[in-house]
Amino acid sequence: MAHARPSVGREMSKEEVVARLGEQRVLPLFTCASVDDGMKVVAALHGAGLRAVEFTNRRPEALDVFAAMARRAAVEFPDVILGAGTILDAAQAEAFHAAGASFLVAPHLDEETGAYCASRGLAWCPGTGTVTEMVRAWRLGAAAAKVFPADALGGPKFLEAVRGPCPFLRLMPSGGVTAEPANLAGWF
């Protein structure tokens, strides 16, 4: 099913999305099979003060659910920016962007997806596991390098080590980041 970009509200620039993600400092993600369930999650996150949310593309109906959520969220929660995660290629990037995604997150570094996002000024956070991939993502215009799976790569100590020679990188750890206070303290 083809989706037209929701016409309610304005599209945020890559820089605005990056600023919002930086201010929020956490990016909650979820998936669900129904629009109503998804909107309940968005409402709960909004009530907790979170304004950037990632919906993961892990179900056959994900694109349709996301598109309907994006239309509803534009009306019900116009200050929330919805992104799509688990974007594996440029075709998925184009489909979710057309469906209303303000940013895209991937588990890996895909140059065609990066080119699509760069050509549209769309914030893109590709998954990386090495410093080489992180720098490559930065050179391709990534908004942030998703460090995945961050806990298996060495956790907060790994990020600290990478920042030494590469302080210009924006890093977004994913994998092993949990809501327990001790875990969060280590990452922050």
Side-chain angles (χ1 to χ4, degrees):
M1 173 186 238
H3 297 281
R5 228 176 131 63
S7 60
V8 178
R10 68 174 181 82
E11 190 169 348
M12 294 184 81
S13 72
K14 174 183 169 182
E15 293 75 22
E16 289 173 307
V17 171
V18 168
R20 279 275 197 90
L21 292 173
E23 290 166 10
Q24 187 166 292
R25 297 192 68 202
V26 297
L27 180 61
L29 56 99
F30 73 99
T31 193
C32 62
S34 81
V35 177
D36 288 337
D37 287 346
M39 291 307 295
K40 288 175 187 173
V41 172
V42 172
L45 293 169
H46 186 270
L50 298 169
R51 300 297 187 260
V53 179
E54 176 189 336
F55 179 84
T56 59
N57 175 30
R58 295 187 187 164
R59 297 172 170 272
E61 67 278 2
L63 180 59
D64 292 332
V65 170
F66 180 84
M69 282 179 43
R71 287 190 298 272
R72 280 187 56 187
V75 174
E76 295 174 32
F77 302 102
D79 58 338
V80 169
I81 56 173
L82 289 178
T86 316
I87 301 302
L88 301 176
D89 56 39
Q92 289 180 350
E94 184 175 5
F96 276 88
H97 182 223
S102 294
F103 62 92
L104 300 174
V105 181
H108 69 298
L109 179 63
D110 178 73
E111 294 190 12
E112 290 178 7
T113 301
Y116 172 84
C117 293
S119 73
R120 284 150 183 85
L122 181 62
W124 170 59
C125 304
T128 61
T130 67
V131 176
T132 300
E133 289 177 332
M134 292 171 202
V135 172
R136 182 77 184 132
W138 174 71
R139 287 182 178 156
L140 290 170
K146 173 181 168 177
V147 181
F148 179 76
D151 58 342
L153 292 168
K157 289 184 180 195
F158 176 69
L159 296 180
E160 186 179 341
V162 169
R163 286 198 184 280
C166 302
F168 53 90
L169 292 176
R170 288 190 202 104
L171 303 177
M172 182 173 73
S174 180
V177 181
T178 63
E180 289 79 32
N183 182 276
L184 286 175
W187 290 105
F188 282 107

